[in-house]
mmCIF file of all heavy atoms in Angstrom:
data_model
loop_
_atom_site.group_PDB
_atom_site.id
_atom_site.type_symbol
_atom_site.label_atom_id
_atom_site.label_comp_id
_atom_site.label_asym_id
_atom_site.label_seq_id
_atom_site.Cartn_x
_atom_site.Cartn_y
_atom_site.Cartn_z
ATOM 1 N N GLY A 548 8.980 -2.678 0.367
ATOM 2 C CA GLY A 548 10.151 -3.414 0.858
ATOM 3 C C GLY A 548 11.123 -3.616 -0.299
ATOM 4 O O GLY A 548 11.329 -2.706 -1.094
ATOM 5 N N THR A 549 11.685 -4.786 -0.417
ATOM 6 C CA THR A 549 12.653 -5.042 -1.502
ATOM 7 C C THR A 549 11.973 -5.522 -2.782
ATOM 8 O O THR A 549 12.646 -5.849 -3.757
ATOM 9 C CB THR A 549 13.692 -6.091 -1.064
ATOM 10 O OG1 THR A 549 12.996 -7.283 -0.665
ATOM 11 C CG2 THR A 549 14.529 -5.579 0.095
ATOM 12 N N ASN A 550 10.655 -5.532 -2.809
ATOM 13 C CA ASN A 550 9.918 -6.004 -3.983
ATOM 14 C C ASN A 550 9.638 -4.855 -4.958
ATOM 15 O O ASN A 550 8.485 -4.487 -5.213
ATOM 16 C CB ASN A 550 8.612 -6.664 -3.533
ATOM 17 C CG ASN A 550 7.873 -7.327 -4.687
ATOM 18 O OD1 ASN A 550 8.488 -7.708 -5.680
ATOM 19 N ND2 ASN A 550 6.557 -7.445 -4.561
ATOM 20 N N PHE A 551 10.707 -4.256 -5.482
ATOM 21 C CA PHE A 551 10.561 -3.203 -6.490
ATOM 22 C C PHE A 551 11.773 -3.237 -7.417
ATOM 23 O O PHE A 551 12.799 -3.826 -7.102
ATOM 24 C CB PHE A 551 10.421 -1.819 -5.835
ATOM 25 C CG PHE A 551 11.698 -1.249 -5.286
ATOM 26 C CD1 PHE A 551 12.553 -0.483 -6.075
ATOM 27 C CD2 PHE A 551 12.073 -1.484 -3.959
ATOM 28 C CE1 PHE A 551 13.733 0.039 -5.564
ATOM 29 C CE2 PHE A 551 13.251 -0.962 -3.445
ATOM 30 C CZ PHE A 551 14.086 -0.196 -4.248
ATOM 31 N N LYS A 552 11.627 -2.568 -8.567
ATOM 32 C CA LYS A 552 12.737 -2.487 -9.520
ATOM 33 C C LYS A 552 12.803 -1.077 -10.096
ATOM 34 O O LYS A 552 11.798 -0.538 -10.562
ATOM 35 C CB LYS A 552 12.551 -3.503 -10.652
ATOM 36 C CG LYS A 552 13.753 -3.650 -11.562
ATOM 37 C CD LYS A 552 14.874 -4.445 -10.927
ATOM 38 C CE LYS A 552 16.059 -4.587 -11.879
ATOM 39 N NZ LYS A 552 17.183 -5.323 -11.301
ATOM 40 N N TYR A 553 13.998 -0.490 -10.020
ATOM 41 C CA TYR A 553 14.251 0.831 -10.604
ATOM 42 C C TYR A 553 15.218 0.676 -11.769
ATOM 43 O O TYR A 553 16.284 0.060 -11.625
ATOM 44 C CB TYR A 553 14.847 1.787 -9.553
ATOM 45 C CG TYR A 553 15.390 3.058 -10.171
ATOM 46 C CD1 TYR A 553 14.586 4.180 -10.328
ATOM 47 C CD2 TYR A 553 16.703 3.123 -10.639
ATOM 48 C CE1 TYR A 553 15.071 5.338 -10.937
ATOM 49 C CE2 TYR A 553 17.195 4.273 -11.245
ATOM 50 C CZ TYR A 553 16.380 5.372 -11.387
ATOM 51 O OH TYR A 553 16.856 6.507 -11.991
ATOM 52 N N TYR A 554 14.855 1.226 -12.918
ATOM 53 C CA TYR A 554 15.737 1.267 -14.088
ATOM 54 C C TYR A 554 16.053 2.726 -14.398
ATOM 55 O O TYR A 554 15.154 3.573 -14.368
ATOM 56 C CB TYR A 554 15.055 0.659 -15.319
ATOM 57 C CG TYR A 554 14.633 -0.782 -15.168
ATOM 58 C CD1 TYR A 554 13.338 -1.101 -14.757
ATOM 59 C CD2 TYR A 554 15.504 -1.833 -15.456
ATOM 60 C CE1 TYR A 554 12.933 -2.420 -14.622
ATOM 61 C CE2 TYR A 554 15.113 -3.151 -15.334
ATOM 62 C CZ TYR A 554 13.827 -3.437 -14.908
ATOM 63 O OH TYR A 554 13.424 -4.741 -14.776
ATOM 64 N N GLY A 555 17.301 3.014 -14.685
ATOM 65 C CA GLY A 555 17.689 4.374 -15.031
ATOM 66 C C GLY A 555 18.510 4.411 -16.299
ATOM 67 O O GLY A 555 19.472 3.651 -16.450
ATOM 68 N N VAL A 556 18.117 5.264 -17.239
ATOM 69 C CA VAL A 556 18.825 5.418 -18.507
ATOM 70 C C VAL A 556 19.401 6.828 -18.578
ATOM 71 O O VAL A 556 18.694 7.808 -18.338
ATOM 72 C CB VAL A 556 17.862 5.190 -19.701
ATOM 73 C CG1 VAL A 556 18.517 5.583 -21.014
ATOM 74 C CG2 VAL A 556 17.393 3.740 -19.748
ATOM 75 N N ASP A 557 20.683 6.926 -18.900
ATOM 76 C CA ASP A 557 21.311 8.240 -19.022
ATOM 77 C C ASP A 557 22.583 8.095 -19.857
ATOM 78 O O ASP A 557 23.172 7.011 -19.928
ATOM 79 C CB ASP A 557 21.670 8.805 -17.638
ATOM 80 C CG ASP A 557 21.841 10.320 -17.654
ATOM 81 O OD1 ASP A 557 22.850 10.803 -18.177
ATOM 82 O OD2 ASP A 557 20.944 11.024 -17.136
ATOM 83 N N ILE A 558 23.007 9.216 -20.459
ATOM 84 C CA ILE A 558 24.293 9.189 -21.174
ATOM 85 C C ILE A 558 25.458 9.241 -20.178
ATOM 86 O O ILE A 558 26.577 8.855 -20.516
ATOM 87 C CB ILE A 558 24.397 10.358 -22.184
ATOM 88 C CG1 ILE A 558 24.116 11.698 -21.498
ATOM 89 C CG2 ILE A 558 23.462 10.142 -23.351
ATOM 90 C CD1 ILE A 558 24.300 12.909 -22.383
ATOM 91 N N PHE A 559 25.176 9.722 -18.956
ATOM 92 C CA PHE A 559 26.212 9.834 -17.914
ATOM 93 C C PHE A 559 27.470 10.531 -18.449
ATOM 94 O O PHE A 559 28.588 10.119 -18.180
ATOM 95 C CB PHE A 559 26.578 8.452 -17.354
ATOM 96 C CG PHE A 559 25.461 7.787 -16.608
ATOM 97 C CD1 PHE A 559 24.797 6.696 -17.161
ATOM 98 C CD2 PHE A 559 25.058 8.247 -15.364
ATOM 99 C CE1 PHE A 559 23.755 6.071 -16.472
ATOM 100 C CE2 PHE A 559 24.022 7.635 -14.669
ATOM 101 C CZ PHE A 559 23.372 6.543 -15.233
ATOM 102 N N GLU A 560 27.256 11.569 -19.225
ATOM 103 C CA GLU A 560 28.364 12.332 -19.820
ATOM 104 C C GLU A 560 28.068 13.819 -19.645
ATOM 105 O O GLU A 560 26.920 14.222 -19.511
ATOM 106 C CB GLU A 560 28.486 12.038 -21.321
ATOM 107 C CG GLU A 560 28.755 10.588 -21.670
ATOM 108 C CD GLU A 560 30.229 10.211 -21.572
ATOM 109 O OE1 GLU A 560 31.045 11.114 -21.319
ATOM 110 O OE2 GLU A 560 30.529 9.025 -21.729
ATOM 111 N N THR A 561 29.119 14.618 -19.701
ATOM 112 C CA THR A 561 28.939 16.071 -19.708
ATOM 113 C C THR A 561 29.563 16.640 -20.975
ATOM 114 O O THR A 561 30.095 17.731 -21.003
ATOM 115 C CB THR A 561 29.597 16.706 -18.461
ATOM 116 O OG1 THR A 561 30.957 16.243 -18.365
ATOM 117 C CG2 THR A 561 28.853 16.322 -17.205
ATOM 118 N N ASP A 562 29.483 15.874 -22.054
ATOM 119 C CA ASP A 562 30.172 16.200 -23.296
ATOM 120 C C ASP A 562 29.429 17.279 -24.085
ATOM 121 O O ASP A 562 28.206 17.350 -24.082
ATOM 122 C CB ASP A 562 30.295 14.936 -24.162
ATOM 123 C CG ASP A 562 31.413 15.055 -25.177
ATOM 124 O OD1 ASP A 562 31.297 15.902 -26.080
ATOM 125 O OD2 ASP A 562 32.397 14.304 -25.059
ATOM 126 N N GLU A 563 30.183 18.093 -24.803
ATOM 127 C CA GLU A 563 29.621 19.168 -25.619
ATOM 128 C C GLU A 563 28.726 18.650 -26.749
ATOM 129 O O GLU A 563 27.863 19.360 -27.228
ATOM 130 C CB GLU A 563 30.759 20.006 -26.231
ATOM 131 C CG GLU A 563 31.311 21.070 -25.310
ATOM 132 C CD GLU A 563 30.304 22.191 -25.055
ATOM 133 O OE1 GLU A 563 29.917 22.877 -26.013
ATOM 134 O OE2 GLU A 563 29.892 22.359 -23.898
ATOM 135 N N ILE A 564 28.933 17.399 -27.177
ATOM 136 C CA ILE A 564 28.152 16.901 -28.313
ATOM 137 C C ILE A 564 26.665 16.799 -27.980
ATOM 138 O O ILE A 564 25.836 16.682 -28.863
ATOM 139 C CB ILE A 564 28.669 15.528 -28.824
ATOM 140 C CG1 ILE A 564 28.515 14.445 -27.744
ATOM 141 C CG2 ILE A 564 30.076 15.618 -29.313
ATOM 142 C CD1 ILE A 564 28.755 13.044 -28.254
ATOM 143 N N TYR A 565 26.329 16.867 -26.690
ATOM 144 C CA TYR A 565 24.927 16.754 -26.297
ATOM 145 C C TYR A 565 24.286 18.104 -26.001
ATOM 146 O O TYR A 565 23.180 18.164 -25.477
ATOM 147 C CB TYR A 565 24.800 15.841 -25.074
ATOM 148 C CG TYR A 565 25.263 14.432 -25.334
ATOM 149 C CD1 TYR A 565 26.430 13.940 -24.736
ATOM 150 C CD2 TYR A 565 24.575 13.596 -26.199
ATOM 151 C CE1 TYR A 565 26.869 12.650 -24.985
ATOM 152 C CE2 TYR A 565 25.010 12.307 -26.460
ATOM 153 C CZ TYR A 565 26.153 11.841 -25.847
ATOM 154 O OH TYR A 565 26.590 10.571 -26.102
ATOM 155 N N LYS A 566 24.968 19.204 -26.364
ATOM 156 C CA LYS A 566 24.439 20.511 -25.989
ATOM 157 C C LYS A 566 23.115 20.846 -26.692
ATOM 158 O O LYS A 566 22.322 21.620 -26.179
ATOM 159 C CB LYS A 566 25.472 21.619 -26.241
ATOM 160 C CG LYS A 566 25.865 21.818 -27.688
ATOM 161 C CD LYS A 566 26.961 22.874 -27.784
ATOM 162 C CE LYS A 566 27.422 23.043 -29.236
ATOM 163 N NZ LYS A 566 28.516 24.001 -29.351
ATOM 164 N N ASN A 567 22.856 20.225 -27.863
ATOM 165 C CA ASN A 567 21.583 20.468 -28.550
ATOM 166 C C ASN A 567 20.400 19.874 -27.784
ATOM 167 O O ASN A 567 19.245 20.184 -28.058
ATOM 168 C CB ASN A 567 21.608 19.879 -29.967
ATOM 169 C CG ASN A 567 21.674 18.361 -29.963
ATOM 170 O OD1 ASN A 567 22.520 17.782 -29.292
ATOM 171 N ND2 ASN A 567 20.798 17.724 -30.719
ATOM 172 N N GLU A 568 20.682 19.023 -26.801
ATOM 173 C CA GLU A 568 19.617 18.417 -26.008
ATOM 174 C C GLU A 568 19.125 19.346 -24.898
ATOM 175 O O GLU A 568 18.190 19.023 -24.176
ATOM 176 C CB GLU A 568 20.093 17.091 -25.389
ATOM 177 C CG GLU A 568 20.397 16.003 -26.410
ATOM 178 C CD GLU A 568 19.144 15.442 -27.083
ATOM 179 O OE1 GLU A 568 18.030 15.941 -26.815
ATOM 180 O OE2 GLU A 568 19.283 14.515 -27.894
ATOM 181 N N ILE A 569 19.767 20.501 -24.745
ATOM 182 C CA ILE A 569 19.347 21.522 -23.787
ATOM 183 C C ILE A 569 19.218 20.940 -22.379
ATOM 184 O O ILE A 569 18.157 20.964 -21.767
ATOM 185 C CB ILE A 569 18.029 22.208 -24.219
ATOM 186 C CG1 ILE A 569 18.033 22.468 -25.732
ATOM 187 C CG2 ILE A 569 17.826 23.518 -23.477
ATOM 188 C CD1 ILE A 569 16.729 22.962 -26.291
ATOM 189 N N VAL A 570 20.297 20.363 -21.890
ATOM 190 C CA VAL A 570 20.301 19.818 -20.527
ATOM 191 C C VAL A 570 20.457 20.960 -19.526
ATOM 192 O O VAL A 570 20.925 22.041 -19.883
ATOM 193 C CB VAL A 570 21.443 18.787 -20.321
ATOM 194 C CG1 VAL A 570 21.222 17.582 -21.209
ATOM 195 C CG2 VAL A 570 22.798 19.407 -20.606
ATOM 196 N N PRO A 571 20.084 20.756 -18.251
ATOM 197 C CA PRO A 571 20.263 21.817 -17.249
ATOM 198 C C PRO A 571 21.752 22.128 -17.061
ATOM 199 O O PRO A 571 22.612 21.364 -17.495
ATOM 200 C CB PRO A 571 19.683 21.197 -15.967
ATOM 201 C CG PRO A 571 18.889 20.019 -16.407
ATOM 202 C CD PRO A 571 19.488 19.557 -17.689
ATOM 203 N N SER A 572 22.022 23.240 -16.409
ATOM 204 C CA SER A 572 23.409 23.617 -16.144
ATOM 205 C C SER A 572 24.117 22.523 -15.338
ATOM 206 O O SER A 572 23.608 22.047 -14.332
ATOM 207 C CB SER A 572 23.456 24.936 -15.365
ATOM 208 O OG SER A 572 24.766 25.196 -14.926
ATOM 209 N N LEU A 573 25.299 22.136 -15.813
ATOM 210 C CA LEU A 573 26.047 21.070 -15.155
ATOM 211 C C LEU A 573 27.121 21.625 -14.218
ATOM 212 O O LEU A 573 27.837 20.877 -13.575
ATOM 213 C CB LEU A 573 26.704 20.170 -16.212
ATOM 214 C CG LEU A 573 25.738 19.534 -17.227
ATOM 215 C CD1 LEU A 573 26.516 18.760 -18.273
ATOM 216 C CD2 LEU A 573 24.727 18.638 -16.542
ATOM 217 N N LYS A 574 27.199 22.949 -14.160
ATOM 218 C CA LYS A 574 28.235 23.587 -13.341
ATOM 219 C C LYS A 574 27.901 23.466 -11.853
ATOM 220 O O LYS A 574 26.756 23.627 -11.442
ATOM 221 C CB LYS A 574 28.334 25.066 -13.730
ATOM 222 C CG LYS A 574 29.527 25.783 -13.134
ATOM 223 C CD LYS A 574 29.577 27.224 -13.632
ATOM 224 C CE LYS A 574 30.721 27.968 -12.997
ATOM 225 N NZ LYS A 574 30.732 29.404 -13.382
ATOM 226 N N ILE A 575 28.907 23.161 -11.050
ATOM 227 C CA ILE A 575 28.725 23.104 -9.591
ATOM 228 C C ILE A 575 29.298 24.384 -8.996
ATOM 229 O O ILE A 575 30.501 24.627 -9.060
ATOM 230 C CB ILE A 575 29.430 21.864 -8.996
ATOM 231 C CG1 ILE A 575 28.827 20.588 -9.582
ATOM 232 C CG2 ILE A 575 29.309 21.857 -7.479
ATOM 233 C CD1 ILE A 575 29.554 19.325 -9.175
ATOM 234 N N ASN A 576 28.429 25.226 -8.445
ATOM 235 C CA ASN A 576 28.863 26.523 -7.919
ATOM 236 C C ASN A 576 29.261 26.463 -6.446
ATOM 237 O O ASN A 576 30.070 27.254 -5.982
ATOM 238 C CB ASN A 576 27.744 27.562 -8.109
ATOM 239 C CG ASN A 576 27.452 27.820 -9.578
ATOM 240 O OD1 ASN A 576 28.375 27.971 -10.368
ATOM 241 N ND2 ASN A 576 26.182 27.849 -9.938
ATOM 242 N N ASN A 577 28.666 25.545 -5.717
ATOM 243 C CA ASN A 577 28.926 25.445 -4.281
ATOM 244 C C ASN A 577 30.363 24.952 -4.043
ATOM 245 O O ASN A 577 30.718 23.839 -4.428
ATOM 246 C CB ASN A 577 27.920 24.462 -3.665
ATOM 247 C CG ASN A 577 28.050 24.359 -2.154
ATOM 248 O OD1 ASN A 577 29.143 24.386 -1.611
ATOM 249 N ND2 ASN A 577 26.927 24.213 -1.480
ATOM 250 N N PRO A 578 31.236 25.770 -3.422
ATOM 251 C CA PRO A 578 32.636 25.371 -3.225
ATOM 252 C C PRO A 578 32.800 24.126 -2.358
ATOM 253 O O PRO A 578 33.721 23.335 -2.559
ATOM 254 C CB PRO A 578 33.285 26.598 -2.569
ATOM 255 C CG PRO A 578 32.155 27.420 -2.036
ATOM 256 C CD PRO A 578 30.974 27.127 -2.909
ATOM 257 N N LEU A 579 31.891 23.938 -1.400
ATOM 258 C CA LEU A 579 31.954 22.736 -0.557
ATOM 259 C C LEU A 579 31.684 21.475 -1.378
ATOM 260 O O LEU A 579 32.334 20.447 -1.201
ATOM 261 C CB LEU A 579 30.944 22.832 0.590
ATOM 262 C CG LEU A 579 31.345 23.704 1.784
ATOM 263 C CD1 LEU A 579 30.202 23.793 2.775
ATOM 264 C CD2 LEU A 579 32.596 23.168 2.464
ATOM 265 N N LYS A 580 30.701 21.572 -2.275
ATOM 266 C CA LYS A 580 30.389 20.425 -3.140
ATOM 267 C C LYS A 580 31.536 20.147 -4.109
ATOM 268 O O LYS A 580 31.868 18.995 -4.375
ATOM 269 C CB LYS A 580 29.091 20.678 -3.913
ATOM 270 C CG LYS A 580 27.843 20.569 -3.056
ATOM 271 C CD LYS A 580 26.588 20.746 -3.882
ATOM 272 C CE LYS A 580 25.346 20.667 -3.000
ATOM 273 N NZ LYS A 580 24.099 20.887 -3.756
ATOM 274 N N LYS A 581 32.141 21.218 -4.624
ATOM 275 C CA LYS A 581 33.298 21.045 -5.519
ATOM 276 C C LYS A 581 34.407 20.273 -4.814
ATOM 277 O O LYS A 581 34.989 19.334 -5.363
ATOM 278 C CB LYS A 581 33.829 22.420 -5.969
ATOM 279 C CG LYS A 581 33.081 23.043 -7.124
ATOM 280 C CD LYS A 581 33.772 24.332 -7.530
ATOM 281 C CE LYS A 581 33.026 25.014 -8.664
ATOM 282 N NZ LYS A 581 33.632 26.319 -9.007
ATOM 283 N N PHE A 582 34.696 20.684 -3.595
ATOM 284 C CA PHE A 582 35.738 20.027 -2.801
ATOM 285 C C PHE A 582 35.366 18.578 -2.510
ATOM 286 O O PHE A 582 36.184 17.671 -2.631
ATOM 287 C CB PHE A 582 35.944 20.804 -1.482
ATOM 288 C CG PHE A 582 37.037 20.242 -0.620
ATOM 289 C CD1 PHE A 582 38.352 20.662 -0.788
ATOM 290 C CD2 PHE A 582 36.763 19.283 0.341
ATOM 291 C CE1 PHE A 582 39.371 20.140 0.001
ATOM 292 C CE2 PHE A 582 37.767 18.743 1.134
ATOM 293 C CZ PHE A 582 39.086 19.176 0.960
ATOM 294 N N TYR A 583 34.097 18.386 -2.127
ATOM 295 C CA TYR A 583 33.598 17.052 -1.759
ATOM 296 C C TYR A 583 33.781 16.059 -2.914
ATOM 297 O O TYR A 583 34.298 14.955 -2.720
ATOM 298 C CB TYR A 583 32.129 17.175 -1.372
ATOM 299 C CG TYR A 583 31.429 15.873 -1.061
ATOM 300 C CD1 TYR A 583 31.692 15.168 0.105
ATOM 301 C CD2 TYR A 583 30.453 15.369 -1.924
ATOM 302 C CE1 TYR A 583 31.028 13.984 0.403
ATOM 303 C CE2 TYR A 583 29.781 14.187 -1.635
ATOM 304 C CZ TYR A 583 30.076 13.503 -0.470
ATOM 305 O OH TYR A 583 29.413 12.334 -0.194
ATOM 306 N N PHE A 584 33.364 16.446 -4.109
ATOM 307 C CA PHE A 584 33.440 15.517 -5.243
ATOM 308 C C PHE A 584 34.864 15.361 -5.780
ATOM 309 O O PHE A 584 35.252 14.274 -6.214
ATOM 310 C CB PHE A 584 32.496 15.968 -6.366
ATOM 311 C CG PHE A 584 31.056 15.735 -6.042
ATOM 312 C CD1 PHE A 584 30.179 16.796 -5.895
ATOM 313 C CD2 PHE A 584 30.565 14.453 -5.853
ATOM 314 C CE1 PHE A 584 28.844 16.576 -5.573
ATOM 315 C CE2 PHE A 584 29.237 14.222 -5.528
ATOM 316 C CZ PHE A 584 28.379 15.294 -5.393
ATOM 317 N N LYS A 585 35.647 16.442 -5.711
ATOM 318 C CA LYS A 585 37.006 16.380 -6.276
ATOM 319 C C LYS A 585 37.996 15.665 -5.360
ATOM 320 O O LYS A 585 38.796 14.843 -5.809
ATOM 321 C CB LYS A 585 37.500 17.797 -6.567
ATOM 322 C CG LYS A 585 38.808 17.822 -7.351
ATOM 323 C CD LYS A 585 39.144 19.229 -7.823
ATOM 324 C CE LYS A 585 40.403 19.231 -8.660
ATOM 325 N NZ LYS A 585 40.743 20.591 -9.140
ATOM 326 N N TYR A 586 37.899 15.928 -4.068
ATOM 327 C CA TYR A 586 38.947 15.429 -3.154
ATOM 328 C C TYR A 586 38.489 14.310 -2.206
ATOM 329 O O TYR A 586 39.314 13.538 -1.740
ATOM 330 C CB TYR A 586 39.516 16.584 -2.326
ATOM 331 C CG TYR A 586 40.194 17.616 -3.179
ATOM 332 C CD1 TYR A 586 39.618 18.854 -3.399
ATOM 333 C CD2 TYR A 586 41.415 17.331 -3.806
ATOM 334 C CE1 TYR A 586 40.240 19.806 -4.207
ATOM 335 C CE2 TYR A 586 42.030 18.269 -4.619
ATOM 336 C CZ TYR A 586 41.442 19.502 -4.813
ATOM 337 O OH TYR A 586 42.053 20.423 -5.621
ATOM 338 N N ILE A 587 37.191 14.247 -1.927
ATOM 339 C CA ILE A 587 36.707 13.199 -1.018
ATOM 340 C C ILE A 587 36.133 12.026 -1.812
ATOM 341 O O ILE A 587 36.595 10.895 -1.692
ATOM 342 C CB ILE A 587 35.667 13.769 -0.020
ATOM 343 C CG1 ILE A 587 36.337 14.844 0.845
ATOM 344 C CG2 ILE A 587 35.090 12.645 0.855
ATOM 345 C CD1 ILE A 587 35.395 15.601 1.755
#
Side-chain angles (χ1 to χ4, degrees):
T549 57
N550 187 25
F551 75 88
K552 189 75 179 179
Y553 168 90
Y554 300 94
V556 170
D557 201 287
I558 53 175
F559 294 108
E560 300 277 355
T561 52
D562 202 294
E563 277 291 298
I564 63 169
Y565 298 111
K566 64 184 177 183
N567 67 309
E568 295 289 4
I569 319 172
V570 296
S572 171
L573 303 176
K574 190 177 177 184
I575 299 174
N576 296 315
N577 184 322
L579 281 175
K580 286 183 181 178
K581 278 184 182 176
F582 182 88
Y583 176 72
F584 287 115
K585 189 170 183 180
Y586 297 108
I587 298 173

